[in-house]
């Protein structure tokens, strides 16, 4: 939406496609807030950048992190001017009281973390964005490409089942994450990695796909997120013996250590038998009713509704759950999915921003409240670059009939299948295999087993049965298309994870337990080869001012 808005305001002719009404996108679920150093108030964006670099376990590209953190304050003010409401202090200024601590940020916490309105409901949809030119809900089918250049998309209109070719001089993918490749996940059902798969199939590389973030506080059973806000306000993590176990893992930052560190600590406690039914506990009792009802109302409500726990009186069972994909479609700091200097190969005319992209600002582990920032900064920047590209290039020539026909034939193939697995069966098998093989702790054998299973599922997928043969809102067919995307992502995650023979950020291997800066200060790029096999390439991490150091919290 940020990209569409920027382009539309500057006079470009923009079409925005979405598979849900845009304000139902997963961004709407963000609870924690957005980071920004307000430099006019004396915040130093370098501190935010350093925290981000350290949080990334030195895998983030520092040139990109500098861009994001330097531009954050201004972007927040831009959002304000567009009508996004943030919390204010008594003097009516942004963020002195309204601020929260989130994990792994020892400095500048106070002003950097801006929650809007109810702390649980942060960045509200921009009313100007809502007025943008969305008329129909459509789903991307395929990127139209020729000789490594993108000329638009083929998309299905969900309401009618019609397939259209949409010509574009520049195409920006902002399709969000892939959390649903795992189960349970904090992500909405629509987070199925579609954009990553579309770009990958079109010849663009996926980068750092092994870096999947587990959030330490997801509710028992459903995996619904309990935001970092609770720990930011001072909640404890305790095990079955009532110990604040983070003392043993991150004695300084305790519960506020970064997400990968806390998730590993929880799984270690669980594996050592200090769990209650596979969970540890989030304890808010000492915060008191008043603070809980003022600052943690949403968490109170969710815990009550979903597991029947009143967090004022009792601790609530939680465990790590899949939350965010640090990896994604490789882009430069202007969202380009190709390298004009030719160091890596991609797809010209294609741009990506947000969770689907990997700039990379999050490296091996994303900090809380840095993702919304990533979406607005690189959303805007990719629109600027896309407009420049569009004004210097003509439309790609292609035959609409061929592309639309190809897409229809592919969909018809699913409708004609009989005797294969149901979509839901394969989907659950995939998620189970990924949970087992690519969880918080990883081992070569387990990852290989998951990869073999996923590859088997790719075969089963070809025969998957779509029972609904209708045209209008055929969600059964849509789930099948999404499953195809998820399987691409699952395979890429496993291939990247097996390849990276070290532990860094969220990628934690029992067989290579240490970070290996000598061999692994590099990103893994995955391409889909001509026979659908995965091919690999490496690009070095960009270091500007922060040399790798031991990461302690
Ligand atoms: C529960 C939860 C809480 C979070 N809290 C925070 C927080 O407090 N702070 C923070 O910084 N980050 C937070 N995150 C992470 C952050 O919200 C996401 O990373 C971010 O919102 C992703 O934004 P996006 O614009 O990239 O994608 P999304 O908001 O997921 O939007 C993707 C869009 O792409 C469309 N789309 C996808 N596939 C297709 C297709 N095939 N065809 C057509 N359209 C398609 C969808 O319809 C949707 O409109 C949270 C995440 C979760 C799950």
């Amino acid at each position: 939406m940020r990209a569409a808005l920027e382009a539309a305001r500057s006079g470009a002719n923009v079409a925005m496609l979405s598979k849900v009404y845009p304000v139902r996108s997963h961004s709407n679920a963000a609870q924690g807030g957005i980071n920004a150093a307000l430099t006019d108030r004396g915040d130093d964006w370098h501190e935010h950048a350093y925290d981000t670099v350290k949080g990334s376990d030195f895998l983030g590209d520092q040139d990109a992190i500098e861009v994001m953190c330097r531009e954050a304050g201004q972007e927040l003010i831009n959002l304000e001017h567009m009508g996004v409401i943030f919390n204010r202090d008594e003097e009516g200024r942004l963020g002195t009281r309204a601020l929260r601590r989130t994990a792994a940020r020892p400095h500048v916490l106070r002003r950097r973390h801006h929650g809007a309105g109810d702390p649980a409901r942060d960045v509200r949809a921009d009313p100007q964005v809502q007025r943008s030119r969305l008329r129909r809900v459509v789903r991307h089918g395929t990127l139209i490409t020729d000789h490594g250049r993108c000329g638009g998309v083929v998309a299905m209109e969900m309401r009618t089942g019609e397939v259209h070719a949409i010509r574009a001089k520049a195409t920006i993918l902002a399709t969000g994450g892939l959390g649903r490749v795992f189960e349970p996940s904090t992500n909405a059902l629509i987070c199925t990695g579609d954009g990553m798969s579309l770009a990958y199939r079109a010849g663009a590389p996926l980068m750092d796909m092994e870096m999947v973030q587990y959030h330490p506080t997801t509710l028992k059973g459903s995996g619904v997120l309990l935001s970092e806000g609770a720990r930011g306000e001072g909640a404890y993590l305790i095990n079955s013996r009532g110990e604040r176990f983070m003392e043993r893992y991150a004695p300084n930052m305790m519960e506020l250590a970064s997400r990968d560190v806390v998730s590993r600590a929880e799984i270690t406690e669980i594996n050592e038998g200090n769990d209650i039914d596979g969970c540890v506990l989030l304890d808010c009792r000492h915060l008191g009713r008043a603070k809980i009802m003022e600052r943690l109302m949403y968490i109170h409500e969710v815990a009550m509704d979903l597991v029947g726990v009143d967090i004022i009186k009792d601790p609530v069972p939680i465990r790590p759950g899949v939350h965010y994909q640090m990896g994604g479609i490789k882009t430069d700091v202007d969202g380009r999915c190709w390298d004009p200097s030719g160091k890596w190969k991609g797809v010209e005319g294609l741009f990506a921003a947000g969770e689907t992209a990997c700039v990379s600002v999050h490296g091996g582990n994303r900090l809380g409240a840095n993702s919304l920032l990533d979406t607005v900064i690189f959303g805007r920047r990719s629109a600027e670059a896309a407009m420049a590209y569009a004004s210097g290039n003509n439309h790609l020539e292609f035959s609409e009939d061929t592309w639309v026909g190809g897409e229809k034939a592919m969909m018809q193939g699913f409708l004609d299948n009989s005797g294969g697995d149901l979509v839901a069966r394969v989907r659950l098998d995939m998620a189970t295999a990924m949970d087992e093989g690519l969880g918080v702790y990883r081992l070569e054998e387990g990852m290989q087993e998951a990869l073999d299973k996923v590859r088997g599922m790719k075969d089963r997928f070809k025969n998957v049965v779509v029972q609904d043969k209708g045209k209008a809102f055929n969600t059964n067919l849509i789930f099948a298309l999404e499953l195809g995307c998820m399987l691409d992502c699952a395979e890429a995650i496993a291939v990247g994870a097996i390849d990276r023979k070290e532990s860094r950020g969220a990628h934690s291997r029992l067989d290579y337990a240490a970070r290996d800066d000598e061999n692994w200060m590099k990103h893994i790029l995955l391409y889909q080869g001509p026979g659908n096999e995965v091919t690999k390439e490496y690009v070095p991490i960009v270091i500007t001012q922060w040399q790798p150091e031991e990461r302690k919290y």
Side-chain angles (χ1 to χ4, degrees):
M1 289 197 283
R2 184 68 186 87
L5 183 61
E6 191 64 25
R9 274 169 150 189
S10 313
N13 199 355
V14 186
M16 192 161 89
L17 311 189
S18 176
K19 63 179 176 178
V20 293
Y21 196 77
V23 294
R24 306 292 301 168
S25 304
H26 190 60
S27 296
N28 194 47
Q31 306 169 12
I34 183 166
N35 287 329
L38 296 179
T39 36
D40 59 331
R41 313 273 168 81
D43 286 355
D44 182 357
W45 67 262
H46 291 89
E47 292 181 36
H48 180 194
Y50 170 72
D51 291 345
T52 304
V53 170
K54 179 178 170 189
S56 82
D57 216 351
F58 297 89
L59 182 65
D61 283 329
Q62 297 181 9
D63 55 342
I65 292 173
E66 286 183 12
V67 164
M68 180 175 81
C69 298
R70 192 171 53 224
E71 294 182 3
Q74 184 55 49
E75 188 61 34
L76 220 76
I77 291 166
N78 292 345
L79 289 176
E80 273 250 315
H81 290 173
M82 292 176 202
V84 180
I85 304 156
F86 292 102
N87 279 353
R88 296 187 166 275
D89 63 13
E90 287 83 359
E91 284 147 34
R93 303 192 325 161
L94 270 186
T96 33
R97 213 198 87 210
L99 305 164
R100 284 225 197 93
R101 286 167 65 81
T102 48
R105 258 161 302 124
H107 326 281
V108 222
L109 298 162
R110 298 195 48 236
R111 295 218 182 107
R112 213 190 290 143
H113 197 168
H114 299 271
D118 173 347
R121 284 268 167 264
D122 293 300
V123 173
R124 282 159 201 258
D126 172 356
Q128 294 193 41
V129 176
Q130 287 184 39
R131 270 188 260 119
S132 69
R133 308 162 183 215
L134 182 102
R135 292 215 201 91
R136 296 170 173 171
V137 175
V138 248
R139 182 194 183 284
H140 289 191
T142 301
L143 292 171
I144 297 168
T145 50
D146 188 25
H147 289 91
R149 205 184 135 199
C150 179
V153 296
V154 192
M156 177 178 82
E157 185 173 353
M158 290 160 73
R159 198 167 45 187
T160 59
E162 291 295 313
V163 177
H164 307 270
I166 298 170
R167 265 171 211 280
K169 289 182 178 171
T171 305
I172 304 177
L173 291 169
T175 45
L178 54 63
R180 286 289 161 168
V181 167
F182 296 78
E183 224 37 83
S185 155
T186 65
N187 284 198
L189 280 171
I190 56 168
C191 300
T192 50
D194 303 5
M196 295 180 209
S197 168
L198 296 191
Y200 181 59
R201 290 175 193 170
L206 299 179
M207 184 162 99
D208 298 340
M209 290 296 281
E210 66 278 15
M211 295 301 179
V212 180
Q213 180 166 74
Y214 277 79
H215 195 291
T217 54
T218 73
L219 259 190
K220 180 180 180 178
S222 62
V224 167
L225 179 76
L226 296 185
S227 100
E228 233 134 37
R231 281 171 293 135
E233 296 295 343
Y236 299 151
L237 288 171
I238 56 176
N239 62 18
S240 60
R241 293 190 278 181
E243 297 161 342
R244 267 182 88 185
F245 57 83
M246 285 310 298
E247 266 166 18
R248 291 199 288 279
Y249 305 90
N252 298 318
M253 290 298 285
M254 295 289 286
E255 282 84 356
L256 292 177
S258 78
R259 290 176 176 174
D260 55 335
V261 174
V262 181
S263 290
R264 280 195 288 275
E266 291 177 2
I267 292 291
T268 307
E269 290 295 313
I270 291 168
N271 289 346
E272 286 176 358
N274 300 329
D275 64 312
I276 298 169
D277 203 9
C279 290
V280 290
L281 300 167
L282 179 72
D283 190 353
C284 302
R285 289 173 296 185
H286 58 287
L287 301 177
R289 173 182 293 274
K291 192 167 186 179
I292 289 174
M293 294 318 278
E294 190 202 344
R295 307 287 292 172
L296 303 174
M297 202 167 63
Y298 181 70
I299 293 180
H300 181 260
E301 194 180 301
V302 167
M304 198 62 156
D305 287 353
L306 297 182
V307 288
V309 171
D310 179 353
I311 62 169
I312 297 170
K313 297 191 198 122
D314 292 300
V316 59
I318 50 98
R319 55 170 292 127
V322 163
H323 183 56
Y324 185 82
Q325 171 60 301
M326 273 75 71
I329 309 162
K330 175 166 177 53
T331 71
D332 66 9
V333 290
D334 294 310
R336 291 185 197 93
C337 300
W338 78 100
D339 180 16
S341 73
K343 286 197 203 83
W344 48 276
K345 189 171 78 58
V347 176
E348 211 187 304
L350 182 66
F351 299 78
E355 191 169 339
T356 197
C358 181
V359 187
S360 117
V361 284
H362 310 299
N365 172 66
R366 169 175 76 83
L367 295 188
N370 260 0
S371 173
L372 291 179
L373 181 62
D374 167 3
T375 66
V376 290
I377 298 284
F378 296 104
R380 173 178 51 73
R381 292 179 66 98
S382 61
E384 289 164 358
M387 284 190 298
Y389 181 84
S391 58
N393 284 280
N394 292 325
H395 279 293
L396 186 75
E397 292 296 325
F398 63 87
S399 150
E400 268 185 40
D401 290 349
T402 311
W403 282 94
V404 168
E407 196 69 12
K408 280 186 177 164
M410 183 270 289
M411 291 179 192
Q412 193 59 44
F414 283 113
L415 299 175
D416 293 344
N417 278 343
S418 63
D421 286 297
L422 292 181
V423 174
R425 177 76 259 156
V426 182
R427 190 176 170 142
L428 187 63
D429 288 351
M430 169 193 66
T432 310
M434 292 301 283
D435 279 339
E436 285 171 4
L438 290 128
V440 170
Y441 285 114
R442 299 169 172 182
L443 260 175
E444 181 95 18
E445 264 177 71
M447 292 189 286
Q448 189 60 50
E449 201 174 307
L451 177 60
D452 294 343
K453 285 185 186 161
V454 166
R455 288 189 166 148
M457 285 170 216
K458 283 191 127 177
D459 285 334
R460 280 161 67 196
F461 173 67
K462 292 181 194 136
N463 299 317
V464 99
V465 172
V466 172
Q467 289 162 306
D468 180 352
K469 311 289 178 198
K471 290 213 145 212
F473 285 110
N474 189 340
T475 48
N476 196 191
L477 176 60
I478 291 163
F479 286 159
L481 300 174
E482 288 175 339
L483 177 61
C485 295
M486 288 195 282
L487 286 167
D488 283 346
C489 294
E491 182 181 27
I493 292 168
V495 170
I498 292 169
D499 195 46
R500 186 173 284 282
K501 296 197 171 28
E502 65 159 352
S503 290
R504 183 183 295 272
H507 178 59
S508 192
R509 294 185 61 146
L510 295 167
D511 44 358
Y512 296 91
R515 197 176 80 192
D516 176 0
D517 289 343
E518 204 161 305
N519 296 304
W520 284 102
M521 286 296 286
K522 56 189 180 192
H523 301 288
I524 304 175
L525 266 56
L526 301 176
Y527 289 89
Q528 192 172 57
N532 284 351
E533 75 287 3
V534 189
T535 62
K536 279 177 276 194
E537 244 176 54
Y538 302 97
V539 293
I541 296 167
V542 179
I543 294 181
T544 56
Q545 40 181 319
W546 297 282
Q547 290 303 321
E549 57 190 46
E550 195 192 344
R551 186 160 158 258
K552 279 196 285 204
Y553 287 105

